[in-house]
Amino acid sequence: MTKKIIAVLLVLVFSNLANAASIDDLQKGFQMPPDDARIMMRWWWFGPSVTKAELERELRVMKDGGIGGVEVQPVYPLLPDDEKAGIKNLPYLSDEFLEMLRFTADKSKELGMRMDLTLGSGWSFGGAKTPLSEAAGQIRFERVKIDKNTKRIPLPAMIYAERLHGVFLAKTNANTIEEGSLQELTDIRDDNVFLPENADGNEVLFFIGGKSGMQVKRPSVGSEGYVLNHLDKPSVESYLKNTGDRLYSAFEKNNVPYSFFCDSLEVYQQDWTNGFLEEFQKRRGYDLKPYLPALAMDMGKQTAEIRYDWGRTLTELFNENFMIPMQDWGKKNKTKFRIQGYGIPPAAISSNKWADISDGEGAQWKVVRAARWASSANHVYGRNVTSSETWTWLHSPAFRAAPLDLKAEADIHFLQGINQLIGHGWAYTPPQIEYPGWRFYAAGEYSERNPWYIVMPDLAKYLQRMSWLMRQGKQKNDVALYLPNADAYAHFSAAKVHLIDVEKELVGEKIMPSLFESGYNLDFFDDGMLNSVGKVEKDNLILGASKYKAIVLPGIERMPLESLRKLDEFVKAGGIVLATRKLPSIVPGMKATEAEQSELKSIVARLFDGKNPKVKFVRTDEEAGTALKKILVPDAEISPDGKDFGFVHRQTEDADIYFVANTSNVKKTVEISFRSFGKNAEVWNAVDGKSTAARIKNWNKDVTTIALNFEPYQSHVVIFSNKNVKIVESKKETGETVDLNSDWQVTFGKNAPVSMNKLTDWISTEDTKYFSGTAVYEKTFNLSPSQSKTSMKLDFGEAVSLNFEPQKNGMATYLDAPVKEAAVIYINGKRVGSLWSPPYNLDVSGFLKAGENKLKIEVANTAMNYMAGRSLPNYRLLNLRYGERFQPQEMEKVMPYPSGITGNMRLISIK
């Protein structure tokens, strides 16, 4: 068989697995998921000081650990150039640097791994190839106090790339302009503005189309410079030519990166661009110049509507001048455009229409944040894979996060619709650097230099299974939550135009938990989605590729009339609308007419007149879930309390897939009422790929109630289908145990074995307090012939919940586990499995024998204990050479942490 035919067959196989056609295919794919569902790592190249030998070694270690690809991110140096030390920082975009990119692409292809590339160094886009004229813009606002004797005022200093747009005289009180006092000053000469006779005001206000001056954050050597103007198409095209084309010249045309990546938009203060006044007039129908003071100060009732028009224009310019050129460049270069499409400039969720892959981040899953923002966009625009920057700041500082932390945060990303995890991350480290090597200032370290990596293949397989399963069929979210774009724009002010942050504040922290705890899941949408891809089909709202049963309006004041008309159509077709706190009362924008305002009020009054049982208004966000339950049967209602739970529902042609996660550090037993259609129910274990019949408590044509036990941070997959399920009785403890707590021989690293008569925390003795690595526990025990024939589990004891401690950044788990942090178990020379999350036990039936049995356990902790016993890196000389490009975070938390086996270890008979 030729290689070409084999390749075609593999494509067909993986295409089938990518969206399983039947329940049997679904189960096979779950047990053996395809490689393209593997997790990836953001791979930091510091300097970049990289060599081919180490690049290849690290790629191979990643692949062996179950990691399927990398996102290359060149960042700041960690050592100055030093030939004797073997450190050479390759200048960004140099021939030597490009050769390393080419080598990585070729080696990734050889290893069957995916390679993505950040189209820049650090963030946001910009750098050495971005001149000041193409740098991010800002409306610069300066105030000068005057008195009755002031006749003229010098103009503020400006450079060639800046332009004076307006000068105004006003009576001001703090940040408010007295009504009727604003007067434009036009007598400008000799670099001064001259005040009229009898000038009536106490301040002169200057508005300058300027430059923010923001520099690229965390740049590599040779990539330092201004952040790009993301609102100006010629500037963006220049960047793509000088940086993008240069980067992609490194690759063969048939082996370019799978996608190029744009990190979160952090172009701080970008609220302006050259030509903005002209674009504004063309789009909004009036001259903004007389109203410039409203961008920075309160000038009465018009202020909010002017700011709405300004914010909307910023988003439109971003879409047209950044998003579209980026996607077009990707198509030309046969590579996908992957972007964290939120931040500044104010990208709307509908801006993601022009992404090939919307990417998210963050574990804040009950508020308006980036991960659900990205998945919602992909659901609407018909893109099945949503990636996410995962584990940023996780259990800070670097090296502290353990496998349980990774699982717990990954589950939260799954709950938000993520199905491609990109770890944040993996620090390239030259082999001559002292252990534990380099680390990124704002992240964990998930490489083999953290000892618990011995279980990474098992952890990665869990994540791979869940990523693949969460791509099957279609997302079935009942609720579409309307994002308050118009209200958010109205809340903008000069230099403060962060749309998603304002929307988070306006939506609040109560409405989403209310809906989740009542048994619903949701996507976000906005006016751009509703009015471009929205349509009504019976009693469902169709938004692009997704269908919703209910629309929720979270305290909306402003709504474009076009959007309200669409909701009115939805209600007339039998749709559900729920509003909280307030009802829409304003058509936004300065040009909105009285007739339009009247029509809005008329529609709202009719919709919420109390006559339609499917249209409800509640005064508080907390009431939202309860109110919706009176109209719509919950999709997955959890009792006695769903507070700490989340779920995802996906549907294939012949199966309902539910992923349910306990996000708390407490063991819980619950009953979940699923709205399902299958006649049989199974529980699938994503840790080992096995399945069992579900414990059904109640079953009728509408709802199936299942009892489930959840360990802390545990998740379950529940599958409903018409498949015949073999009933398997759950195993229960019989009471017979074999104590294994004493008489161990323990070998720490390469040291000689020591006797451990009682299982002891490593940090309890000075000899092992600062040990980071793998310790091998060994002992023998005897079983009678009858015991050896009994099913048994090896149990390490219960985990203990710890008190919650707020994290400065990111999240953490709070559990005192009996295994710290990971263990691989062998019995009689055979690998039984690994433990790194609750429950801390393994079924060892089939591995035991009558007579003497040999038990070996490899236990690994984190690198923190080693770090605590030594001085931390001193970056003084580095900062003197390159300037301070980062600050190590939370170094006060570097200390020895409890390690080893500390639980009550027993063999327990089960049947």
Side-chain angles (χ1 to χ4, degrees):
M1 186 178 290
T2 67
K3 291 183 179 179
K4 185 174 182 179
I5 294 173
I6 292 172
V8 171
L9 289 174
L10 286 173
V11 169
L12 291 173
V13 169
F14 286 129
S15 295
N16 184 52
L17 287 177
N19 210 330
S22 70
I23 183 62
D24 291 331
D25 291 332
L26 189 71
Q27 189 156 24
K28 290 175 185 176
F30 180 73
Q31 291 167 345
M32 294 292 291
D35 287 349
D36 66 3
R38 288 185 171 196
I39 65 171
M40 297 173 59
M41 284 290 171
R42 182 171 295 181
W43 197 10
W44 290 292
W45 289 9
F46 294 99
S49 176
V50 296
T51 64
K52 291 181 180 179
E54 181 60 20
L55 289 171
E56 178 174 354
R57 189 198 73 81
E58 293 190 16
L59 282 171
R60 291 187 181 277
V61 173
M62 289 186 213
K63 182 176 182 180
D64 290 344
I67 295 165
V70 293
E71 173 199 294
V72 175
Q73 168 66 282
V75 289
Y76 52 82
L78 281 174
L79 281 175
D81 289 345
D82 191 330
E83 185 176 350
K84 291 182 179 180
I87 299 297
K88 182 179 181 181
N89 293 298
L90 309 178
Y92 189 66
L93 300 182
S94 67
D95 290 343
E96 293 172 291
F97 170 69
L98 296 185
E99 174 60 20
M100 295 302 169
L101 289 179
R102 183 204 60 76
F103 175 82
T104 300
D106 291 347
K107 190 56 62 175
S108 296
K109 182 178 182 181
E110 175 188 323
L111 296 173
M113 299 175 71
R114 169 176 155 183
M115 176 191 174
D116 287 11
L117 176 65
T118 300
L119 207 71
S121 173
W123 64 92
S124 293
F125 287 172
K129 299 290 185 180
T130 299
L132 185 57
S133 58
E134 297 176 1
Q138 178 183 5
I139 189 70
R140 185 150 64 92
F141 169 49
E142 295 195 10
R143 305 169 67 169
V144 178
K145 291 191 177 296
I146 62 171
D147 57 32
K148 62 182 180 180
N149 297 316
T150 305
K151 302 299 181 184
R152 65 179 184 175
I153 300 173
L155 299 179
M158 290 176 281
I159 62 170
Y160 73 93
E162 297 182 309
R163 178 183 174 188
L164 181 67
H165 285 308
V167 186
F168 301 87
L169 175 66
K171 290 182 180 178
T172 65
N173 180 11
N175 204 42
T176 301
I177 296 173
E178 184 179 309
E179 188 174 355
S181 72
L182 190 66
Q183 177 183 354
E184 185 175 359
L185 302 178
T186 58
D187 187 2
I188 301 173
R189 45 195 162 87
D190 299 328
D191 293 326
N192 278 256
V193 58
F194 289 82
L195 276 61
E197 292 292 330
N198 302 316
D200 189 17
N202 64 329
E203 278 195 270
V204 171
L205 314 175
F206 293 92
F207 291 86
I208 298 162
K211 298 292 181 180
S212 72
M214 183 181 176
Q215 301 292 296
V216 171
K217 298 171 70 175
R218 325 302 176 206
S220 60
V221 173
S223 67
E224 305 87 347
Y226 294 109
V227 167
L228 174 70
N229 184 348
H230 286 50
L231 301 178
D232 180 60
K233 187 174 182 180
S235 299
V236 171
E237 290 177 336
S238 175
Y239 181 82
L240 288 171
K241 177 182 177 181
N242 294 321
T243 298
D245 288 351
R246 175 65 176 162
L247 285 170
Y248 269 60
S249 70
F251 309 112
E252 298 292 336
K253 290 184 178 180
N254 64 348
N255 192 31
V256 297
Y258 180 83
S259 78
F260 71 95
F261 177 58
C262 175
D263 211 332
S264 55
L265 299 162
E266 298 180 24
V267 191
Y268 299 128
Q269 287 86 48
Q270 166 121 57
D271 58 10
W272 200 259
T273 186
N274 45 301
F276 187 87
L277 287 176
E278 294 79 7
E279 286 291 339
F280 185 95
Q281 175 129 20
K282 181 172 68 176
R283 296 161 189 269
R284 305 284 84 86
Y286 65 98
D287 185 5
L288 177 62
K289 184 178 178 180
Y291 303 102
L292 284 172
L295 308 187
M297 302 182 71
D298 183 357
M299 53 181 291
K301 294 180 180 180
Q302 295 176 321
T303 301
E305 307 317 317
I306 295 166
R307 293 182 181 185
Y308 164 82
D309 288 336
W310 170 49
R312 182 181 172 191
T313 304
L314 288 170
T315 297
E316 290 174 0
L317 290 175
F318 171 74
N319 292 343
E320 295 169 20
N321 297 334
F322 184 84
M323 293 295 292
I324 292 175
M326 285 285 163
Q327 188 182 56
D328 288 346
W329 185 88
K331 291 177 180 176
K332 182 181 73 173
N333 287 278
K334 297 180 172 53
T335 185
K336 296 182 183 297
F337 174 35
R338 180 165 62 87
I339 181 173
Q340 294 183 339
Y342 44 85
I344 305 173
I349 193 171
S350 51
S351 300
N352 287 270
K353 173 183 178 180
W354 293 281
D356 295 316
I357 305 171
S358 294
D359 189 278
E361 63 181 314
Q364 303 85 7
W365 65 289
K366 295 184 179 182
V367 294
V368 175
R369 292 309 291 160
R372 190 178 300 274
W373 174 286
S375 69
S376 299
N378 285 327
H379 295 159
V380 168
Y381 293 120
R383 302 186 290 257
N384 195 39
V385 176
T386 302
S387 54
S388 184
E389 172 189 311
T390 316
W391 309 314
T392 308
W393 299 108
L394 178 62
H395 215 152
S396 183
F399 289 103
R400 176 67 186 98
L404 178 60
D405 294 304
L406 273 70
K407 179 197 182 293
E409 181 174 329
D411 283 352
I412 289 175
H413 284 256
F414 294 140
L415 292 178
Q416 297 178 88
I418 301 303
N419 50 25
Q420 174 64 70
L421 303 175
I422 301 179
H424 191 279
W426 185 294
Y428 173 97
T429 298
Q432 67 270 30
I433 300 300
E434 180 187 0
Y435 181 83
W438 286 349
R439 74 293 309 251
F440 191 68
Y441 82 103
E445 181 57 34
Y446 314 119
S447 70
E448 89 287 5
R449 291 177 290 110
N450 227 342
W452 60 254
Y453 195 83
I454 62 172
V455 301
M456 179 58 99
D458 296 327
L459 169 61
K461 184 63 72 175
Y462 166 81
L463 301 172
Q464 182 184 358
R465 282 196 181 100
M466 282 311 312
S467 296
W468 180 82
L469 191 63
M470 293 294 96
R471 299 177 188 181
Q472 304 314 299
K474 283 193 172 184
Q475 189 93 354
K476 299 294 290 183
N477 290 340
D478 286 331
V479 175
L481 183 77
Y482 178 81
L483 293 178
N485 284 14
D487 286 333
Y489 289 144
H491 281 74
F492 279 7
S493 61
K496 297 178 181 179
V497 293
H498 201 302
L499 185 62
I500 191 173
D501 276 4
V502 179
E503 290 184 332
K504 175 189 174 185
E505 182 179 342
L506 292 175
V507 172
E509 299 180 350
K510 298 177 180 178
I511 191 166
M512 290 173 61
S514 175
L515 293 167
F516 294 151
E517 291 165 24
S518 296
Y520 305 99
N521 203 353
L522 61 87
D523 282 334
F524 301 140
F525 77 105
D526 70 359
D527 300 303
M529 290 173 164
L530 182 62
N531 297 314
S532 63
V533 297
K535 63 180 181 180
V536 175
E537 186 178 280
K538 296 182 180 179
D539 57 354
N540 292 292
L541 177 68
I542 310 298
L543 290 174
S546 292
K547 181 187 296 186
Y548 304 95
K549 298 177 182 295
I551 293 174
V552 173
L553 309 179
I556 302 300
E557 183 176 18
R558 289 172 178 78
M559 180 179 285
L561 191 54
E562 185 181 6
S563 297
L564 185 62
R565 289 168 179 159
K566 186 77 72 173
L567 297 192
D568 189 27
E569 180 188 353
F570 175 55
V571 169
K572 287 176 179 176
I576 299 168
V577 174
L578 173 67
T580 69
R581 286 183 276 145
K582 63 180 70 171
L583 295 175
S585 59
I586 299 172
V587 177
M590 280 280 284
K591 300 293 284 186
T593 66
E594 287 298 323
E596 290 172 329
Q597 302 290 1
S598 177
E599 182 181 352
L600 177 139
K601 289 178 172 60
S602 175
I603 293 174
V604 170
R606 174 167 46 79
L607 287 177
F608 293 93
D609 62 6
K611 297 178 181 178
N612 187 338
K614 289 189 173 183
V615 180
K616 295 289 185 183
F617 170 72
V618 292
R619 297 193 178 278
T620 67
D621 288 338
E622 295 93 329
E623 299 174 79
T626 302
L628 190 57
K629 283 166 64 174
K630 295 177 180 178
I631 312 170
L632 178 65
V633 175
D635 194 8
E637 186 175 11
I638 300 173
S639 61
D641 183 4
K643 178 181 178 182
D644 296 315
F645 288 88
F647 76 93
V648 173
H649 179 193
R650 295 188 70 88
Q651 190 174 79
T652 66
E653 289 185 4
D654 63 352
D656 276 321
I657 305 166
Y658 286 91
F659 170 73
V660 187
N662 175 14
T663 66
S664 79
N665 64 344
V666 178
K667 181 184 291 190
K668 294 176 181 282
T669 297
V670 298
E671 292 184 1
I672 308 178
S673 297
F674 296 98
R675 193 179 65 216
S676 64
F677 73 89
K679 67 180 183 181
N680 289 309
E682 296 177 89
V683 178
W684 290 5
N685 185 341
V687 174
D688 60 17
K690 297 178 181 179
S691 61
T692 58
R695 288 186 292 148
I696 297 172
K697 303 287 289 186
N698 181 47
W699 202 326
N700 60 47
K701 65 177 182 178
D702 296 320
V703 171
T704 304
T705 302
I706 291 176
L708 284 171
N709 298 321
F710 287 85
E711 295 286 336
Y713 303 111
Q714 190 178 30
S715 55
H716 292 301
V717 173
V718 180
I719 303 290
F720 293 94
S721 73
N722 291 321
K723 173 186 176 183
N724 290 322
V725 179
K726 181 181 178 181
I727 302 300
V728 179
E729 294 288 340
S730 59
K731 295 181 178 180
K732 297 182 180 180
E733 298 179 9
T734 66
E736 183 179 359
T737 64
V738 177
D739 187 278
L740 299 174
N741 287 299
S742 59
D743 300 325
W744 288 89
Q745 291 291 305
V746 184
T747 305
F748 288 89
K750 297 180 180 180
N751 298 320
V754 296
S755 295
M756 189 178 287
N757 293 325
K758 180 182 178 182
L759 292 172
T760 306
D761 189 334
W762 300 354
I763 67 171
S764 63
T765 63
E766 195 65 25
D767 289 344
T768 56
K769 183 176 183 178
Y770 298 106
F771 175 79
S772 289
T774 300
V776 179
Y777 289 64
E778 295 177 284
K779 76 171 278 118
T780 60
F781 59 91
N782 290 289
L783 294 178
S784 68
S786 61
Q787 286 177 316
S788 67
K789 295 176 182 178
T790 303
S791 294
M792 304 191 92
K793 68 178 179 181
L794 178 62
D795 187 85
F796 287 73
E798 293 284 330
V800 178
S801 301
L802 299 175
N803 292 330
F804 175 79
E805 296 178 4
Q807 300 292 307
K808 179 180 178 182
N809 295 291
M811 66 164 282
T813 55
Y814 301 92
L815 205 65
D816 182 9
V819 177
K820 305 176 180 68
E821 300 291 342
V824 180
I825 295 91
Y826 300 84
I827 294 180
N828 297 321
K830 295 181 180 180
R831 188 182 193 273
V832 180
S834 66
L835 291 175
W836 42 270
S837 69
Y840 291 96
N841 59 64
L842 280 176
D843 189 337
V844 295
S845 307
F847 292 89
L848 303 171
K849 63 181 182 179
E852 185 178 82
N853 290 265
K854 295 181 179 180
L855 176 59
K856 182 177 81 169
I857 306 174
E858 296 176 352
V859 181
N861 60 348
T862 73
M864 293 296 287
N865 294 17
Y866 180 93
M867 293 165 60
R870 289 151 183 84
S871 297
L872 295 171
N874 186 324
Y875 298 112
R876 183 180 68 86
L877 295 176
L878 177 76
N879 293 339
L880 289 172
R881 172 65 180 84
Y882 295 111
E884 189 178 57
R885 302 193 183 192
F886 70 98
Q887 292 182 344
Q889 300 292 304
E890 299 187 88
M891 291 298 99
E892 71 278 5
K893 293 184 178 180
V894 176
M895 63 184 74
Y897 285 90
S899 303
I901 302 174
T902 58
N904 178 24
M905 195 187 306
R906 299 171 297 163
L907 278 174
I908 301 177
S909 178
I910 53 178
K911 71 176 182 178

